Amino acid sequence: MFDFSIITNWFDQLLRINLGLGDFWAILIECVIVGLAIIVGYAVLAIILIFMERKVCAYFQCRIGPVRVGWWGTLQVFADVLKMLIKEIFVVDKADKLLYYLAPFLVIAASIGTFSFLPWNRGAQVLDFNVGVFLVTAISSIGVLGIFIAGWASNNKYSVLSAMRAAVQMISYELSLGICLISVVILTGTMQISEIVEYQTGPWRYLLFQGHIPALLAFLVFLVAGNAEANRGPFDLAEAESELTAGYHTEYSGMGFGFYYLAEYLNLFVISALAATMFLGGWAPINIGVEGFDNIMNLIPGIVWFLGKSFFVVFLLMWVRWTFPRLRVDQILKLEWKYLMPLSLIILVMMTVCVAFGWVNPFNFESMF
């Protein structure tokens, strides 16, 4: 498996030694390049996910989807982006101007912040701290503030009600989401995301296999809670068109609305990528202990494995959205507090017991049977 840190170290030495730049200029240039890479990757993935959503939705509804703009409708998203960029941005007279304009930036900042922690390949991770799991959960919580402030600052009763629904839902499901991540930390013994992926390299080393039933249950709970955290159907009660028009972003137009639109789809990808990283090995290839097969799998670049697993989970979440009807607010909270939360705590205890008694052997898959 190729280590991308070889390229980053070479480029760092090129700036510092070969070009003779000081630490300040070398770090500045590297930060600018990394920032541009994040923004470009963020935008490209948003375009892919929006197009994928439309095609998957059309498939489940026995339709064709966008086909007129570009070949197979591939340019439809670009046409929508152009429309959004040139659309007039109106100002709500009675809105709190400062908070009204600040809210979309909080949402997009939280989305980009969590996006920066994703491990694309070995050595290809923008942010890699020894408390990475903790920081991901902390940064993602900023998005709740952006949504609640948007509804409150708009001075619209529908937006306020939508923001309250979204805040209650997201704060509630963050608990189950965090407990599932704690179960992963207990199993791997680290909060550093790159080490969690390294822990899963080798034959049958994915946490979904190592952790037995607790890991499988944690994976399922993580998907459900992550779907609710991203305000995706059937948990999209905050954007119930029949009740609240467009929800908390009713009074936004142009790129103000575009920021929420982008954040929704990138949060979907972040949740899917985290699920793939924590439970399916991330960029780690599929190895089964057969030398010839494993050698072929190791030739596939890690970023291909990462994107393949992530988009597989994205498809699962889209499948759920276009299959199940929207839940009521009491059903959403009942699902979390009466079922997912107790189940998450049981999973945490089961995982702790398995690790404490050595029932999970990370070096010998066969010993689990």
Side-chain angles (χ1 to χ4, degrees), residues 197-206 284-289 294:
V197 180
E198 290 285 355
Y199 187 87
Q200 301 178 74
T201 56
W204 301 109
R205 293 290 299 274
Y206 291 175
I286 296 177
N287 292 146
I288 60 174
D294 291 350

PDB file of all heavy atoms in Angstrom, residues 197-206 284-289 294:
ATOM      1  N   VAL A 197      -7.448   3.087  11.476  1.00  0.00           N
ATOM      2  CA  VAL A 197      -7.398   2.443  10.162  1.00  0.00           C
ATOM      3  C   VAL A 197      -6.234   1.464  10.098  1.00  0.00           C
ATOM      4  O   VAL A 197      -6.373   0.343   9.593  1.00  0.00           O
ATOM      5  CB  VAL A 197      -7.286   3.503   9.047  1.00  0.00           C
ATOM      6  CG1 VAL A 197      -7.235   2.829   7.679  1.00  0.00           C
ATOM      7  CG2 VAL A 197      -8.457   4.466   9.094  1.00  0.00           C
ATOM      8  N   GLU A 198      -5.057   1.865  10.599  1.00  0.00           N
ATOM      9  CA  GLU A 198      -3.898   0.966  10.600  1.00  0.00           C
ATOM     10  C   GLU A 198      -4.194  -0.306  11.384  1.00  0.00           C
ATOM     11  O   GLU A 198      -3.712  -1.389  11.042  1.00  0.00           O
ATOM     12  CB  GLU A 198      -2.684   1.683  11.199  1.00  0.00           C
ATOM     13  CG  GLU A 198      -2.110   2.796  10.344  1.00  0.00           C
ATOM     14  CD  GLU A 198      -1.323   2.276   9.158  1.00  0.00           C
ATOM     15  OE1 GLU A 198      -1.127   1.039   9.040  1.00  0.00           O
ATOM     16  OE2 GLU A 198      -0.917   3.103   8.319  1.00  0.00           O
ATOM     17  N   TYR A 199      -4.980  -0.177  12.428  1.00  0.00           N
ATOM     18  CA  TYR A 199      -5.364  -1.319  13.256  1.00  0.00           C
ATOM     19  C   TYR A 199      -6.139  -2.357  12.445  1.00  0.00           C
ATOM     20  O   TYR A 199      -6.144  -3.542  12.786  1.00  0.00           O
ATOM     21  CB  TYR A 199      -6.216  -0.809  14.418  1.00  0.00           C
ATOM     22  CG  TYR A 199      -6.567  -1.845  15.472  1.00  0.00           C
ATOM     23  CD1 TYR A 199      -5.715  -2.091  16.534  1.00  0.00           C
ATOM     24  CD2 TYR A 199      -7.756  -2.557  15.400  1.00  0.00           C
ATOM     25  CE1 TYR A 199      -6.046  -3.020  17.510  1.00  0.00           C
ATOM     26  CE2 TYR A 199      -8.096  -3.494  16.367  1.00  0.00           C
ATOM     27  CZ  TYR A 199      -7.225  -3.718  17.420  1.00  0.00           C
ATOM     28  OH  TYR A 199      -7.556  -4.649  18.375  1.00  0.00           O
ATOM     29  N   GLN A 200      -6.764  -1.912  11.364  1.00  0.00           N
ATOM     30  CA  GLN A 200      -7.626  -2.798  10.577  1.00  0.00           C
ATOM     31  C   GLN A 200      -6.954  -3.338   9.323  1.00  0.00           C
ATOM     32  O   GLN A 200      -7.615  -3.959   8.490  1.00  0.00           O
ATOM     33  CB  GLN A 200      -8.912  -2.043  10.187  1.00  0.00           C
ATOM     34  CG  GLN A 200      -9.704  -1.553  11.377  1.00  0.00           C
ATOM     35  CD  GLN A 200     -10.930  -0.769  10.982  1.00  0.00           C
ATOM     36  OE1 GLN A 200     -11.935  -1.324  10.531  1.00  0.00           O
ATOM     37  NE2 GLN A 200     -10.882   0.539  11.142  1.00  0.00           N
ATOM     38  N   THR A 201      -5.656  -3.098   9.163  1.00  0.00           N
ATOM     39  CA  THR A 201      -4.929  -3.633   8.012  1.00  0.00           C
ATOM     40  C   THR A 201      -4.491  -5.061   8.305  1.00  0.00           C
ATOM     41  O   THR A 201      -3.943  -5.346   9.369  1.00  0.00           O
ATOM     42  CB  THR A 201      -3.705  -2.762   7.693  1.00  0.00           C
ATOM     43  OG1 THR A 201      -2.866  -2.659   8.850  1.00  0.00           O
ATOM     44  CG2 THR A 201      -4.132  -1.371   7.269  1.00  0.00           C
ATOM     45  N   GLY A 202      -4.726  -5.951   7.385  1.00  0.00           N
ATOM     46  CA  GLY A 202      -4.382  -7.350   7.565  1.00  0.00           C
ATOM     47  C   GLY A 202      -5.593  -8.236   7.329  1.00  0.00           C
ATOM     48  O   GLY A 202      -6.719  -7.754   7.169  1.00  0.00           O
ATOM     49  N   PRO A 203      -5.375  -9.552   7.311  1.00  0.00           N
ATOM     50  CA  PRO A 203      -6.489 -10.479   7.036  1.00  0.00           C
ATOM     51  C   PRO A 203      -7.586 -10.411   8.095  1.00  0.00           C
ATOM     52  O   PRO A 203      -7.312 -10.542   9.285  1.00  0.00           O
ATOM     53  CB  PRO A 203      -5.795 -11.852   7.038  1.00  0.00           C
ATOM     54  CG  PRO A 203      -4.352 -11.563   6.793  1.00  0.00           C
ATOM     55  CD  PRO A 203      -4.089 -10.245   7.432  1.00  0.00           C
ATOM     56  N   TRP A 204      -8.808 -10.174   7.649  1.00  0.00           N
ATOM     57  CA  TRP A 204      -9.992 -10.164   8.508  1.00  0.00           C
ATOM     58  C   TRP A 204      -9.826  -9.234   9.701  1.00  0.00           C
ATOM     59  O   TRP A 204     -10.206  -9.572  10.821  1.00  0.00           O
ATOM     60  CB  TRP A 204     -10.303 -11.573   9.005  1.00  0.00           C
ATOM     61  CG  TRP A 204     -10.552 -12.557   7.929  1.00  0.00           C
ATOM     62  CD1 TRP A 204      -9.748 -13.581   7.546  1.00  0.00           C
ATOM     63  CD2 TRP A 204     -11.718 -12.636   7.084  1.00  0.00           C
ATOM     64  NE1 TRP A 204     -10.308 -14.291   6.522  1.00  0.00           N
ATOM     65  CE2 TRP A 204     -11.528 -13.734   6.207  1.00  0.00           C
ATOM     66  CE3 TRP A 204     -12.887 -11.876   6.978  1.00  0.00           C
ATOM     67  CZ2 TRP A 204     -12.459 -14.083   5.255  1.00  0.00           C
ATOM     68  CZ3 TRP A 204     -13.826 -12.230   6.020  1.00  0.00           C
ATOM     69  CH2 TRP A 204     -13.607 -13.327   5.177  1.00  0.00           C
ATOM     70  N   ARG A 205      -9.274  -8.047   9.461  1.00  0.00           N
ATOM     71  CA  ARG A 205      -9.004  -7.133  10.568  1.00  0.00           C
ATOM     72  C   ARG A 205     -10.036  -6.012  10.688  1.00  0.00           C
ATOM     73  O   ARG A 205      -9.901  -5.162  11.557  1.00  0.00           O
ATOM     74  CB  ARG A 205      -7.603  -6.513  10.410  1.00  0.00           C
ATOM     75  CG  ARG A 205      -6.457  -7.485  10.569  1.00  0.00           C
ATOM     76  CD  ARG A 205      -6.309  -7.950  11.996  1.00  0.00           C
ATOM     77  NE  ARG A 205      -6.040  -6.852  12.885  1.00  0.00           N
ATOM     78  CZ  ARG A 205      -4.829  -6.366  13.139  1.00  0.00           C
ATOM     79  NH1 ARG A 205      -3.775  -6.900  12.556  1.00  0.00           N
ATOM     80  NH2 ARG A 205      -4.673  -5.366  13.982  1.00  0.00           N
ATOM     81  N   TYR A 206     -11.017  -5.959   9.808  1.00  0.00           N
ATOM     82  CA  TYR A 206     -12.022  -4.910   9.924  1.00  0.00           C
ATOM     83  C   TYR A 206     -12.737  -5.037  11.268  1.00  0.00           C
ATOM     84  O   TYR A 206     -13.017  -6.155  11.735  1.00  0.00           O
ATOM     85  CB  TYR A 206     -13.045  -4.991   8.794  1.00  0.00           C
ATOM     86  CG  TYR A 206     -12.493  -4.644   7.424  1.00  0.00           C
ATOM     87  CD1 TYR A 206     -13.280  -4.768   6.287  1.00  0.00           C
ATOM     88  CD2 TYR A 206     -11.187  -4.190   7.268  1.00  0.00           C
ATOM     89  CE1 TYR A 206     -12.789  -4.449   5.031  1.00  0.00           C
ATOM     90  CE2 TYR A 206     -10.690  -3.874   6.019  1.00  0.00           C
ATOM     91  CZ  TYR A 206     -11.492  -4.003   4.900  1.00  0.00           C
ATOM     92  OH  TYR A 206     -10.979  -3.688   3.669  1.00  0.00           O
ATOM     93  N   ALA A 284      -7.921   0.688   4.053  1.00  0.00           N
ATOM     94  CA  ALA A 284      -7.294  -0.635   4.162  1.00  0.00           C
ATOM     95  C   ALA A 284      -7.952  -1.615   3.185  1.00  0.00           C
ATOM     96  O   ALA A 284      -9.177  -1.703   3.126  1.00  0.00           O
ATOM     97  CB  ALA A 284      -7.421  -1.168   5.590  1.00  0.00           C
ATOM     98  N   PRO A 285      -7.171  -2.341   2.392  1.00  0.00           N
ATOM     99  CA  PRO A 285      -7.744  -3.278   1.416  1.00  0.00           C
ATOM    100  C   PRO A 285      -8.360  -4.495   2.088  1.00  0.00           C
ATOM    101  O   PRO A 285      -8.113  -4.774   3.265  1.00  0.00           O
ATOM    102  CB  PRO A 285      -6.534  -3.673   0.559  1.00  0.00           C
ATOM    103  CG  PRO A 285      -5.369  -3.500   1.471  1.00  0.00           C
ATOM    104  CD  PRO A 285      -5.699  -2.337   2.356  1.00  0.00           C
ATOM    105  N   ILE A 286      -9.158  -5.212   1.335  1.00  0.00           N
ATOM    106  CA  ILE A 286      -9.743  -6.469   1.816  1.00  0.00           C
ATOM    107  C   ILE A 286      -8.691  -7.568   1.730  1.00  0.00           C
ATOM    108  O   ILE A 286      -8.222  -7.907   0.648  1.00  0.00           O
ATOM    109  CB  ILE A 286     -10.978  -6.855   0.991  1.00  0.00           C
ATOM    110  CG1 ILE A 286     -12.079  -5.806   1.156  1.00  0.00           C
ATOM    111  CG2 ILE A 286     -11.492  -8.232   1.403  1.00  0.00           C
ATOM    112  CD1 ILE A 286     -13.300  -6.087   0.312  1.00  0.00           C
ATOM    113  N   ASN A 287      -8.308  -8.106   2.866  1.00  0.00           N
ATOM    114  CA  ASN A 287      -7.355  -9.219   2.930  1.00  0.00           C
ATOM    115  C   ASN A 287      -8.013 -10.389   3.649  1.00  0.00           C
ATOM    116  O   ASN A 287      -8.648 -10.198   4.695  1.00  0.00           O
ATOM    117  CB  ASN A 287      -6.075  -8.815   3.660  1.00  0.00           C
ATOM    118  CG  ASN A 287      -5.250  -7.794   2.890  1.00  0.00           C
ATOM    119  OD1 ASN A 287      -4.610  -6.941   3.472  1.00  0.00           O
ATOM    120  ND2 ASN A 287      -5.277  -7.861   1.565  1.00  0.00           N
ATOM    121  N   ILE A 288      -7.848 -11.595   3.100  1.00  0.00           N
ATOM    122  CA  ILE A 288      -8.488 -12.774   3.681  1.00  0.00           C
ATOM    123  C   ILE A 288      -7.479 -13.835   4.086  1.00  0.00           C
ATOM    124  O   ILE A 288      -7.858 -14.941   4.466  1.00  0.00           O
ATOM    125  CB  ILE A 288      -9.502 -13.378   2.688  1.00  0.00           C
ATOM    126  CG1 ILE A 288      -8.821 -13.792   1.395  1.00  0.00           C
ATOM    127  CG2 ILE A 288     -10.626 -12.380   2.423  1.00  0.00           C
ATOM    128  CD1 ILE A 288      -9.745 -14.514   0.431  1.00  0.00           C
ATOM    129  N   GLY A 289      -6.187 -13.509   3.996  1.00  0.00           N
ATOM    130  CA  GLY A 289      -5.163 -14.472   4.389  1.00  0.00           C
ATOM    131  C   GLY A 289      -4.668 -15.355   3.264  1.00  0.00           C
ATOM    132  O   GLY A 289      -3.805 -16.200   3.489  1.00  0.00           O
ATOM    133  N   ASP A 294      -4.545 -11.467  -1.618  1.00  0.00           N
ATOM    134  CA  ASP A 294      -4.178 -10.280  -0.845  1.00  0.00           C
ATOM    135  C   ASP A 294      -3.209  -9.392  -1.620  1.00  0.00           C
ATOM    136  O   ASP A 294      -3.294  -8.159  -1.548  1.00  0.00           O
ATOM    137  CB  ASP A 294      -3.554 -10.693   0.483  1.00  0.00           C
ATOM    138  CG  ASP A 294      -4.572 -11.341   1.415  1.00  0.00           C
ATOM    139  OD1 ASP A 294      -5.775 -11.280   1.097  1.00  0.00           O
ATOM    140  OD2 ASP A 294      -4.157 -11.914   2.439  1.00  0.00           O
TER     141      ASP A 294
END
